[in-house]
Amino acid sequence: MKAMILAAGRGERMQPLTNKTPKPLLKVGGRPLIEYHLHRLARAGVKEVVINIAYLGHQIRDYLGDSFSPDACESVTDHWGSESLGNEPCRLAISYSEEPEPLETAGAILHALPLLGDSPFLLVNGDIWTDYPFETLLNNQPYNGLEQQNLAHVVLVNNPEHNLEGDFSLSDNEAAINNERRLLNKRSEKNYTFSGISVINPKLLMDYPNKREKFPLAEVLRFGIEHQQISAEVYAGQWRDIGTVERLKSLDSYLKDGLAQ
């Protein structure tokens, strides 16, 4: 399964830090934010990743090049506290989806489909930090245990202080429950926040009747909810939305204190 990292945003709430540096290259714990995703994706077994770029995107391309190879899988997994993969190769081939301007999340996916292909892919927001085990999504594609019409699986988290009302809820239909995976639903009394992590079948985008150059994924997910095409799970581990300078500094302190080891 390929992966896509969304990295084209302007990071306006991160100014002045993003005036000359794209948000994915801002450093936390001594390394650029995007590297944490690349390490975890490589460790999970992903071989190809597509990164969309727009604002200061040349810096991301110049920094990463066309591949990403951790010094050793073993050192990567030790750093993130997961089972070692020994000396197995974990090189990521990187391709770039260049946008004339940021196209929002769904617009970015449509623009990148020639690089992503027709199969489901793992999608990750570039401005989050998490210890979510991506390998669980690779080993459990969204069709497993669900009806064949299911076209996406999203990871939810408990609502952070900056999004207390949440984004989505989970279906109460017992028939939809399978290994703690349930159908995604619109907001109700008990809501969760979309983590920015998901597996998307391109068919979900292609079937959406209101496609345009620039539009958000949340809009497409709500369409999928109407057709009972989206499954979801709640992740209780570490997850942070790095949307402000204060949150970036908080994560930097967390990582430097060794709490993520």
Side-chain angles (χ1 to χ4, degrees), residues 10-257:
R10 292 184 176 275
E12 294 178 352
R13 291 179 298 167
M14 302 289 285
Q15 292 175 340
L17 298 180
T18 52
N19 286 343
K20 296 183 178 180
T21 304
K23 184 160 58 171
L25 292 186
L26 294 177
K27 289 189 175 182
V28 287
R31 70 177 68 205
L33 187 59
I34 197 170
E35 280 197 14
Y36 289 91
H37 287 333
L38 294 173
H39 275 278
R40 298 194 69 83
L41 289 170
R43 188 210 64 192
V46 172
K47 300 299 183 184
E48 298 179 56
V49 61
V50 175
I51 301 174
N52 72 319
I53 54 175
Y55 175 70
L56 299 178
H58 65 281
Q59 292 188 27
I60 298 174
R61 182 193 287 273
D62 291 346
Y63 180 82
L64 294 175
D66 61 4
S67 66
F68 181 83
S69 300
D71 293 336
C73 287
E74 183 173 0
S75 63
V76 173
T77 53
D78 285 348
H79 179 79
W80 272 271
S82 300
E83 182 179 356
S84 170
L85 297 180
N87 294 318
E88 292 182 23
C90 52
R91 175 182 175 276
L92 278 172
I94 301 175
S95 54
Y96 298 90
S97 177
E98 298 189 42
E99 302 173 4
E101 61 177 331
L103 300 178
E104 301 189 45
T105 45
I109 294 170
L110 276 180
H111 189 73
L113 283 184
L115 297 172
L116 291 166
D118 299 328
S119 300
F121 61 92
L122 198 161
L123 181 69
V124 186
N125 284 5
D127 57 358
I128 65 169
W129 181 92
T130 182
D131 62 0
Y132 181 86
F134 291 135
E135 54 269 25
T136 63
L137 293 179
L138 299 178
N139 295 331
N140 296 278
Q141 293 188 27
Y143 299 109
N144 290 1
L146 297 163
E147 295 185 11
Q148 293 298 310
Q149 69 175 10
N150 192 55
L151 295 181
H153 179 77
V154 305
V155 178
L156 305 175
V157 294
N158 290 316
N159 298 329
E161 291 185 0
H162 59 272
N163 191 39
L164 292 177
E165 295 185 0
D167 303 312
F168 300 104
S169 65
L170 292 172
S171 170
D172 290 328
N173 182 0
E174 292 297 326
I177 299 175
N178 180 74
N179 294 331
E180 299 184 354
R181 291 186 170 209
R182 300 165 65 181
L183 291 178
L184 191 67
N185 208 347
K186 293 182 178 180
R187 287 171 55 182
S188 62
E189 294 183 2
K190 176 59 176 176
N191 299 310
Y192 299 92
T193 291
F194 177 41
S195 69
I197 303 169
S198 57
V199 174
I200 303 291
N201 188 319
K203 191 175 186 298
L204 179 70
L205 276 295
M206 299 309 297
D207 289 350
Y208 182 59
N210 194 25
K211 293 187 294 294
R212 47 204 191 275
E213 184 180 28
K214 183 187 299 186
F215 63 114
L217 181 60
E219 185 179 302
V220 183
L221 292 177
R222 285 191 283 269
F223 174 79
I225 287 172
E226 295 287 348
H227 295 80
Q228 295 188 321
Q229 294 174 323
I230 317 292
S231 63
E233 65 182 87
V234 178
Y235 182 60
Q238 288 292 328
W239 176 88
R240 299 188 185 212
D241 176 356
I242 315 304
T244 65
V245 175
E246 291 73 23
R247 290 181 218 156
L248 182 79
K249 290 180 178 179
S250 175
L251 176 60
D252 186 52
S253 297
Y254 174 79
L255 294 172
K256 287 180 176 178
D257 288 342

